[in-house]
Amino acid sequence: MLNYLLKRLIMMIPLLLGITIITFAVIHLAPGEPVEMQTALSPKVTKETRERIRKFYGLDKPLHVQYVTWVTRLAKLDFGRSFASDNRPVLDKIKERIPVTLSLNIVALILEFGLAVPIGVLAARYRDRLFDKGMTIFVFIGFSAPSFALAIFGIYFFGVVLGWLPLSGLHSLGSESLPLLARLWDLAKHVILPIGIVTFGAIAGLSRYMRSSMLEVLGQDYIVTARAKGLSERVVIYRHALRNALLPAITLLGFSVPGLIGGSVIMESIFSIPGMGKLFFDGVMMRDYPLIMGILVIGAGLTLVGNLLADLLYAVADPRIRHGKG
Amino acid sequence: MRLAPVLRLILAALCLFIFSCSRETPPVKSSARSAGPPASGDALVIGTIGDASNLIPILASDAASHDIAGLVYNGLVKYDKNLNIVGDLAESWDVSQDGLVITFHLRKGVKWHDGEEFTSRDVIYTYRVTVDPNTPTAYAEDFKQVRNAEALDSYTVRITYDKPFAPALASWGMAVLPAHLLEGKDITKSPLTRKPLGTGPYRFKEWLAGQKIILEANPEYFEGKPYVGRYVSRLISDLSTMYLELKAGAIDLMNLTPIQFQRQTATPEFTTRYSKYRYPASMYVYLGYNLRNPLFSDKRVRRAITMAINKEEIIHGVLLGMGQKAHGPYKPGTWAYNPGIKDVGYDPKVARQLLAEAGWQPGPDGVLAKNGKPFQFTILTNQGNDLRIKTAQIIQQRLRAVGITVKIRVVEFASLISNFIDKRNFDAIIMGWTISQDPDLFDVWHSSKTGPKELNFIGYSNPEVDRLIEEGRGTFDQEKRRRCYWRIQEIMAADQPYTFLYVPDALPAVSARFRGIEPAPAGIMHNFHKWYVPKMEQVY
């Protein structure tokens, strides 16, 4: 087991390096340079000025030299400084945004699983009855309605017409002088809409998975046996069937872990939430190479670690995939 | 009937008065309220679409950063509400007879926000750091013309140039930086990039990255403490959300789109809470031709295309009438703008004649052709600007009517610049230029600026225009400069290197509780430190 773990960890290094080489090459292929994006078509900027700024960022060197410089710094866990005109360390910029994105995503994920699993189970239990049909319609509305339209509609209805919720941002003006509880309530009011809409859109997929997996399990022989034993329907469903039906949901949960640090650009833009999605998007639009690479490397690292963890957990959970001892 | 000479004079004066009034349409203000006595307090909350990047102005090139820095810092000079250059940190200045030396006399007793005194050392530092090759700034160019900058004493600065350079004066409107905090340090890593410290009407208080920036009134500001107590810039990265925030009353100022201005805010519910203003924006939109392309080398052809385009229709269709026709690179109403230029006018019949003179004959299908080659070209424009795309479509329709086939291609901005404009790989292009306050045209129109990545990308070259541009930037005499620029506009009207399309209107809405707003050619923010909210109406 230990040997396997070590092997996997060592394999990750060339993999990560390969990922960085490809992404580094690809983002440099995109037309335009950071200097360009900051100064394009500005009458005040001459060729010399442009060269001066390029030199400041090290963009005058050949691409492979730039890559080596970058990767050497990365080996020391230095992500470099942003090419945006603030020139701040990339890590600072990411650190500023991660707590917001991470906490919003975790809340949304908990809500999503907390709602979708019961919906799926109940829909399977009351298959083809009113509840099942009603839920099918409900989750498909969430699935099909474009989230940006829902978001704007939500802002208009709850914010402008009813005036119940603030429209955008995370804090009200002057909220910093409120007592702690009032401040948390203020924050909660700001995030109800974005989290609600993200969750609404995500429930559909998961609840359908749950429903079909539950239906499959309910058709199994051991459920018939359980019923034949005279167990109550509650025990059959929640003790015997649910456990087995949850397995695919756990796999899905594993997949969503690397997504936790990613944010939705559209949602963040509409609700003016300072999250990772917007940071990355703006970075791409400004061709802020160190920032883009920083976020991608962290994302790639997390994905690799997540995969490894999932593999290990499978091995723990399922004897059939256990690896050779040694 | 004979009129007495005096009466005639009065009549003439009256005519002149009426004439000048009708030309100078005052900005529309939709609601007027009684002005209470000026009172301190309250806050102006604005929405901004992008976060500021760097609050040391020479290091930033985005509007959000400059909006904040503009309230925190001062330059030596500034533009007043009528776009004349007046003193700011400089009390006065003298330009030597030959135009080579400018001597600034600085205001005495001005304090930085930390209490240090502002002196000539700060000015010299700002100059040096801007031209320092290690400073990544986009603003060094004007200062590079300086041969020598020296402090004669604590309150006098003498700047010497190699040749007279008219835009030089305005270039000293650049924010003066505090030498006592920056000298000898790496400016790119200075804490001032996040916490600026200047001499201006507002002091920096707080920056919540990605959320908001808060400024506070500076009680020791040399023109008096501003009435409005705080200035809050909220980042709202989506324009529809920003508009809804305005409707909900959560922001106080926003620039409206024509459709918002005309239709969506035309309710009494809105107009009692907000004042709407309207004045020409400092920019124009044009259709530029690649003059290296033989299609466009004949000026009769360019003139014909302009005549085939109905600018009026574009302004109505695209801007809902919130704009005016452009016929040159200046803003109507400013001193460099030549009001005597007549628009080429919409006349498809004459357009066809001109094209026929240039050798373009209609074929059986109505499409123009010359030597068997049909007249067709592609208009490029950038993605994300709906107004320009619509403009292109209207032009496409009109040109089809005279037998010219136009294709429209919409390209992402970065790609448009590097793959098409920089490589001169385009037929025609719809873009816009900001109209800068100084009328110098060198960078966009001089024939020496046609090199790679330079801005005369259409390749316009007219020796007389070149000479006039040089003459105009080589003198400080406004009358002489005006003559140069007026003549250039005449030449351009004849040459039609661009088809100048329109100057859109700026359409800001401001919460009606703010008083003291004076719309002027410079916009509305020029006297922000004099705005106030009567005590009864303060909300923050």
Side-chain angles (χ1 to χ4, degrees):
Chain A
M1 193 68 191
L2 202 69
N3 209 345
Y4 169 72
L5 189 69
L6 217 65
K7 225 160 69 187
R8 283 289 300 263
L9 280 177
I10 291 171
M11 273 298 290
M12 272 167 69
I13 295 170
L15 206 57
L16 201 60
L17 221 60
I19 293 174
T20 58
I21 292 181
I22 293 173
T23 42
F24 198 84
V26 168
I27 58 167
H28 279 84
L29 276 180
E33 275 192 346
V35 186
E36 209 71 359
M37 307 312 290
Q38 287 169 33
T39 60
L41 297 191
S42 161
K44 290 279 164 235
V45 179
T46 56
K47 217 159 48 186
E48 299 82 62
T49 312
R50 205 173 279 123
E51 281 312 312
R52 183 161 130 180
I53 303 178
R54 287 192 74 205
K55 206 171 147 209
F56 178 80
Y57 289 137
L59 291 167
D60 52 340
K61 301 197 182 75
L63 201 56
H64 61 273
V65 178
Q66 288 182 44
Y67 176 75
V68 171
T69 324
W70 177 79
V71 111
T72 335
R73 259 202 264 113
L74 186 70
K76 293 176 249 160
L77 283 183
D78 176 4
F79 285 80
R81 280 175 178 268
S82 166
F83 282 2
S85 48
D86 59 2
N87 198 29
R88 291 170 71 207
V90 167
L91 217 53
D92 284 7
K93 288 180 107 164
I94 297 177
K95 266 196 258 167
E96 210 167 69
R97 305 280 184 131
I98 276 197
V100 174
T101 299
L102 201 62
S103 37
L104 288 184
N105 280 344
I106 288 176
V107 174
L109 197 70
I110 291 172
L111 277 178
E112 187 196 328
F113 275 78
L115 286 171
V117 170
I119 288 176
V121 170
L122 289 177
R125 181 171 175 186
Y126 302 109
R127 181 184 186 180
D128 290 339
R129 307 252 288 278
L130 189 65
F131 178 83
D132 184 23
K133 299 227 159 121
M135 271 303 151
T136 307
I137 293 174
F138 176 72
V139 300
F140 272 92
I141 290 175
F143 186 68
S144 340
S147 57
F148 69 90
L150 273 183
I152 293 282
F153 179 75
I155 290 178
Y156 182 67
F157 190 70
F158 293 106
V160 181
V161 177
L162 296 177
W164 291 352
L165 295 175
L167 278 64
S168 67
L170 286 179
H171 309 281
S172 302
L173 215 59
S175 69
E176 53 283 354
S177 54
L178 293 172
L180 183 70
L181 269 180
R183 223 158 65 205
L184 282 178
W185 174 234
D186 178 62
L187 179 68
K189 281 205 296 195
H190 278 87
V191 296
I192 287 175
L193 267 183
I195 290 185
I197 287 166
V198 168
T199 311
F200 187 37
I203 284 178
L206 187 61
S207 67
R208 298 310 284 181
Y209 268 119
M210 261 327 280
R211 179 179 178 274
S212 63
S213 138
M214 193 70 184
L215 283 176
E216 199 190 312
V217 171
L218 284 178
Q220 298 281 328
D221 291 346
Y222 60 85
I223 297 294
V224 178
T225 315
R227 283 199 176 118
K229 268 198 319 193
L231 290 178
S232 72
E233 191 65 12
R234 256 188 51 195
V235 177
V236 172
I237 301 259
Y238 297 112
R239 171 92 53 80
H240 294 267
L242 182 59
R243 277 193 178 182
N244 288 294
L246 271 178
L247 275 174
I250 291 171
T251 316
L252 282 180
L253 185 67
F255 283 150
S256 19
V257 169
L260 282 180
I261 66 147
S264 151
V265 184
I266 298 173
M267 282 309 196
E268 286 178 10
S269 301
I270 293 180
F271 289 103
S272 302
I273 295 169
M276 291 290 288
K278 195 77 175 72
L279 182 71
F280 185 65
F281 180 75
D282 290 344
V284 171
M285 293 319 275
M286 294 299 293
R287 309 287 189 266
D288 185 348
Y289 301 142
L291 181 69
I292 302 173
M293 289 305 295
I295 296 176
L296 286 177
V297 164
I298 294 176
L302 277 184
T303 311
L304 292 178
V305 171
N307 282 350
L308 179 62
L309 275 182
D311 283 355
L312 291 179
L313 284 180
Y314 279 148
V316 172
D318 193 336
R320 282 169 300 183
I321 343 179
R322 216 160 270 170
H323 304 276
K325 238 173 94 181
Chain B
M1 188 183 131
R2 280 196 49 177
L3 285 170
V6 178
L7 201 60
R8 270 221 292 241
L9 211 71
I10 293 173
L11 260 181
L14 215 63
C15 284
L16 208 77
F17 178 70
I18 291 166
F19 178 64
S20 60
C21 277
S22 64
R23 262 201 313 130
E24 231 171 74
T25 37
V28 181
K29 194 172 179 243
S30 315
S31 78
R33 284 199 190 179
S34 66
S40 290
D42 214 347
L44 177 83
V45 183
I46 63 150
T48 159
I49 190 92
D51 202 4
S53 63
N54 190 323
L55 296 179
I56 293 183
I58 57 168
L59 299 180
S61 48
D62 57 304
S65 303
H66 282 276
D67 284 349
I68 298 290
L71 292 169
V72 173
Y73 293 100
N74 295 99
L76 290 183
V77 295
K78 64 178 180 188
Y79 283 98
D80 71 355
K81 61 178 184 175
N82 294 318
L83 299 178
N84 297 313
I85 296 180
V86 295
D88 199 7
L89 283 175
E91 224 161 30
S92 63
W93 61 88
D94 323 301
V95 180
S96 68
Q97 201 72 98
D98 55 6
L100 291 179
V101 180
I102 307 179
T103 311
F104 289 105
H105 306 284
L106 307 183
R107 218 181 255 268
K108 293 186 179 109
V110 175
K111 292 258 193 311
W112 292 99
H113 293 159
D114 62 358
E116 287 283 321
E117 208 192 343
F118 157 76
T119 63
S120 54
R121 174 186 166 209
D122 301 307
V123 180
I124 299 296
Y125 168 75
T126 303
Y127 161 71
R128 290 214 177 116
V129 75
T130 308
V131 294
D132 181 343
N134 292 322
T135 307
T137 177
Y139 302 96
E141 203 43 41
D142 283 343
F143 282 172
K144 275 199 191 140
Q145 315 279 340
V146 172
R147 180 169 12 135
N148 185 23
E150 57 191 329
L152 298 185
D153 59 51
S154 286
Y155 301 102
T156 317
V157 179
R158 190 166 71 190
I159 318 290
T160 316
Y161 288 85
D162 281 326
K163 50 182 192 291
F165 181 56
L169 192 55
S171 73
W172 291 97
M174 174 67 79
V176 177
L177 301 170
H180 66 283
L181 294 175
L182 288 165
E183 217 159 30
K185 300 192 178 122
D186 180 355
I187 190 169
T188 62
K189 299 196 172 86
S190 163
L192 265 63
T193 57
R194 311 287 296 171
K195 294 188 172 99
L197 188 143
T199 50
Y202 283 84
R203 285 175 176 177
F204 174 82
K205 176 151 183 262
E206 190 183 14
W207 182 353
L208 276 167
Q211 300 187 48
K212 59 186 147 231
I213 297 179
I214 302 176
L215 307 178
E216 276 180 326
N218 172 11
E220 281 153 36
Y221 185 51
F222 57 80
E223 285 187 39
K225 183 188 176 186
Y227 292 119
V228 177
R230 278 182 303 158
Y231 176 93
V232 181
S233 166
R234 277 185 57 193
L235 175 71
I236 300 171
S237 32
D238 181 84
L239 281 174
S240 342
T241 310
M242 203 188 289
Y243 177 62
L244 290 175
E245 288 273 16
L246 185 80
K247 282 207 119 166
I251 57 174
D252 298 320
L253 190 156
M254 176 184 173
N255 278 314
L256 302 177
T257 62
I259 194 155
Q260 286 168 344
F261 188 92
Q262 283 225 313
R263 311 262 160 85
Q264 295 167 349
T265 60
T267 58
E269 193 261 337
F270 187 89
T271 47
T272 50
R273 290 158 58 223
Y274 288 92
S275 310
K276 294 195 275 186
Y277 299 89
R278 178 182 170 186
Y279 47 85
S282 291
M283 67 105 48
Y284 65 88
V285 172
Y286 61 88
L287 171 68
Y289 309 103
N290 188 347
L291 302 176
R292 297 169 193 82
N293 185 330
L295 267 185
F296 303 115
S297 53
D298 188 332
K299 81 176 164 195
R300 283 173 301 187
V301 171
R302 301 194 299 263
R303 195 175 178 80
I305 294 177
T306 303
M307 287 183 133
I309 295 171
N310 189 345
K311 293 182 193 175
E312 204 87 49
E313 169 188 63
I314 293 175
I315 291 164
H316 269 274
V318 176
L319 300 176
L320 302 175
M322 308 271 104
Q324 53 194 310
K325 287 190 265 189
H327 7 263
Y330 294 117
K331 179 157 124 180
T334 54
W335 63 264
Y337 175 81
N338 183 345
I341 303 286
K342 262 188 56 194
D343 194 67
V344 172
Y346 169 60
D347 196 337
K349 213 185 260 168
V350 180
R352 273 191 217 101
Q353 279 167 20
L354 278 172
L355 286 163
E357 273 174 40
W360 293 97
Q361 296 297 341
D365 50 356
V367 176
L368 295 180
K370 183 168 158 182
N371 307 330
K373 263 185 71 185
F375 197 147
Q376 64 174 34
F377 66 95
T378 304
I379 295 180
L380 287 175
T381 189
N382 63 303
Q383 203 171 47
N385 195 323
D386 209 31
L387 302 184
R388 290 183 195 166
I389 298 169
K390 284 185 192 150
T391 304
Q393 286 163 346
I394 294 175
I395 290 177
Q396 183 182 39
Q397 287 293 325
R398 284 292 165 193
L399 292 187
R400 183 180 299 152
V402 295
I404 300 173
T405 314
V406 172
K407 286 193 199 122
I408 299 171
R409 190 160 167 203
V410 183
V411 187
E412 191 240 347
F413 188 71
S415 165
L416 180 69
I417 304 290
S418 50
N419 292 347
F420 297 96
I421 294 188
D422 283 352
K423 294 191 177 140
R424 313 302 189 224
N425 176 21
F426 64 95
D427 301 330
I429 196 158
I430 293 182
M431 292 280 276
W433 282 123
T434 303
I435 303 170
S436 64
Q437 284 134 333
D438 188 89
D440 183 31
L441 295 175
F442 194 80
D443 295 295
V444 179
W445 295 102
H446 197 272
S447 65
S448 67
K449 285 289 176 181
T450 53
K453 299 210 173 192
E454 289 180 323
L455 297 183
N456 186 352
F457 47 75
I458 62 164
Y460 182 62
S461 162
N462 182 319
E464 193 185 350
V465 170
D466 282 358
R467 191 180 52 73
L468 288 164
I469 289 175
E470 286 158 26
E471 199 181 315
R473 68 188 337 224
T475 170
F476 283 84
D477 181 343
Q478 185 163 321
E479 191 44 46
K480 266 193 205 153
R481 293 190 82 191
R482 192 182 61 185
R483 277 201 298 273
C484 294
Y485 299 128
W486 281 29
R487 176 74 192 124
I488 289 176
Q489 288 166 78
E490 284 167 15
I491 300 171
M492 283 188 184
D495 273 356
Q496 294 289 319
Y498 289 171
T499 292
F500 296 92
L501 295 168
Y502 56 79
V503 176
D505 284 336
L507 306 165
V510 187
S511 169
R513 66 180 202 277
F514 290 93
R515 309 294 155 75
I517 302 176
E518 263 182 65
I524 54 170
M525 291 304 284
H526 63 91
N527 71 335
F528 175 57
H529 65 282
K530 295 269 187 256
W531 293 14
Y532 66 92
V533 181
K535 256 287 160 309
M536 294 294 291
E537 293 178 45
Q538 298 193 352
V539 294
Y540 292 111

